Amino acid sequence: MKPTLFLLAAGMGSRYGGLKQLDGLGPNGETIMDYSIYDAIKAGFGKIVWVIRRDFEQQFREQILSKYEDKIPCELCFQGLDALPEGFSVPEGRVKPWGTNHAVLMGKDVIKEPFCVINCDDFYGRDAFMTIGKFLSNLPEGSQNKYAMVGFRCCNTLSENGSVARGVCVYDDNHHLTDVVERTEIMRIDGTISFKDEQGEWQPLEENVPVSMNMWGFTPDYFAHSEAYFKEFLSNPKNIENLKAEFFIPLMVNKLINDGTSTVEVLDTTSKWFGVTYAADRQGTVDRIAQLIAYGVYPEKLF
């Protein structure tokens, strides 16, 4: 069974200052997600699913979905504040979405095969899709609890225009993930990659330490785990009182690996990430896409 590509497209880019998922960066208005989808099709993925918000559904259908519907099966699902398990309601005053793993949960009714989750505003590169596509395609039919993530080399994921947030990965001798430590400020300082620790001090980080760029490989049983844990998350008074508390993918993954329920293989890639974390990143991204076209990696017109 061919794997599915599941794109998280419900968020607004607050640091970027706009709806960057729909920003045309290629020579014919291609978005970053267009390049991801092109790479995924090349890597053997058989279906595309997006999770978006209802309020830009029409724009999304016209600008994005229409390009693919005659090329590969496509589905939309929707993330909303009130998409909660039975018996739970939105806390008064909450306006922030429930986070990336809540967004993943929205795909449970349309995804029945192994799937890869990615962000729409990150450029992952061909090798990353080939790597995760091979892992998912080689899973035995009915496989459960054997997941993967693409661990990008930290040096390949930095922005020249400010710090970035990355999940720094720790793994065992079998390349199974043992922990993901969220570092919200990583940047190169005087030539050395550094992160700001809990005391506000800058600490060095190895050039090739694997970091999560939210490129995960799961099987459909992941939805049941997520649904059960989301109920626990919503039952914790701290998460109700904190109107910005979020149900992140690494939170779910850490629980599964710490409980011994699942394994997550850390897959290495030579791909170099780039994206538009900041508005100032935009021109650099346009230039790098143009360079890849010049090198023949992508055609000038994707679709």
Side-chain angles (χ1 to χ4, degrees), residues 184-258:
T184 57
E185 291 187 67
I186 299 177
M187 61 191 303
R188 199 176 286 279
I189 300 175
D190 297 328
T192 301
I193 300 177
S194 304
F195 71 90
K196 188 175 283 188
D197 66 15
E198 290 79 359
Q199 285 72 46
E201 301 290 330
W202 289 100
Q203 304 292 343
L205 200 59
E206 291 180 18
E207 292 277 321
N208 290 320
V209 67
V211 297
S212 169
M213 298 302 301
N214 247 12
M215 193 176 204
W216 302 91
F218 298 122
T219 45
D221 53 292
Y222 183 78
F223 294 122
H225 294 314
S226 296
E227 203 156 36
Y229 194 42
F230 191 39
K231 291 177 183 177
E232 287 187 40
F233 178 91
L234 294 170
S235 299
N236 185 333
K238 290 183 180 178
N239 293 329
I240 298 303
E241 293 163 9
N242 178 2
L243 298 178
K244 294 185 177 181
E246 294 189 58
F247 185 46
F248 290 120
I249 294 171
L251 183 70
M252 182 73 251
V253 167
N254 271 334
K255 175 177 170 54
L256 292 174
I257 59 178
N258 289 335

Side-chain angles (χ1 to χ4, degrees), residues 19 37 65 85 89 111 117 230 267 269 285 287 301:
L19 197 60
I37 291 166
L65 201 63
S89 57
I111 299 176
V117 177
F230 191 39
L267 308 174
T269 182
T285 297
D287 294 342
K301 187 171 177 59

Side-chain angles (χ1 to χ4, degrees), residues 134-208:
K134 180 180 179 182
F135 175 88
L136 294 171
S137 296
N138 288 342
L139 287 172
E141 188 174 348
S143 179
Q144 294 188 349
N145 293 314
K146 295 187 184 299
Y147 309 143
M149 61 154 287
V150 177
F152 283 74
R153 299 169 190 181
C154 188
C155 60
N156 288 338
T157 71
L158 304 179
S159 168
E160 296 178 358
N161 298 298
S163 64
V164 294
R166 301 286 180 254
V168 178
C169 302
V170 184
Y171 57 85
D172 62 21
D173 292 340
N174 296 315
H175 270 253
H176 288 163
L177 188 70
T178 57
D179 197 12
V180 180
V181 181
E182 288 294 321
R183 298 297 182 189
T184 57
E185 291 187 67
I186 299 177
M187 61 191 303
R188 199 176 286 279
I189 300 175
D190 297 328
T192 301
I193 300 177
S194 304
F195 71 90
K196 188 175 283 188
D197 66 15
E198 290 79 359
Q199 285 72 46
E201 301 290 330
W202 289 100
Q203 304 292 343
L205 200 59
E206 291 180 18
E207 292 277 321
N208 290 320

Side-chain angles (χ1 to χ4, degrees), residues 7-12 19 21 51-53 56 79 97 103:
L7 297 106
L8 306 183
M12 289 287 285
L19 197 60
Q21 294 92 339
V51 56
I52 66 171
R53 294 197 320 274
F56 63 87
Q79 183 182 23

Side-chain angles (χ1 to χ4, degrees), residues 74-93:
C74 298
E75 300 258 14
L76 286 184
C77 54
F78 302 93
Q79 183 182 23
L81 270 179
D82 58 351
L84 299 174
E86 188 174 349
F88 294 90
S89 57
V90 179
E92 186 178 352

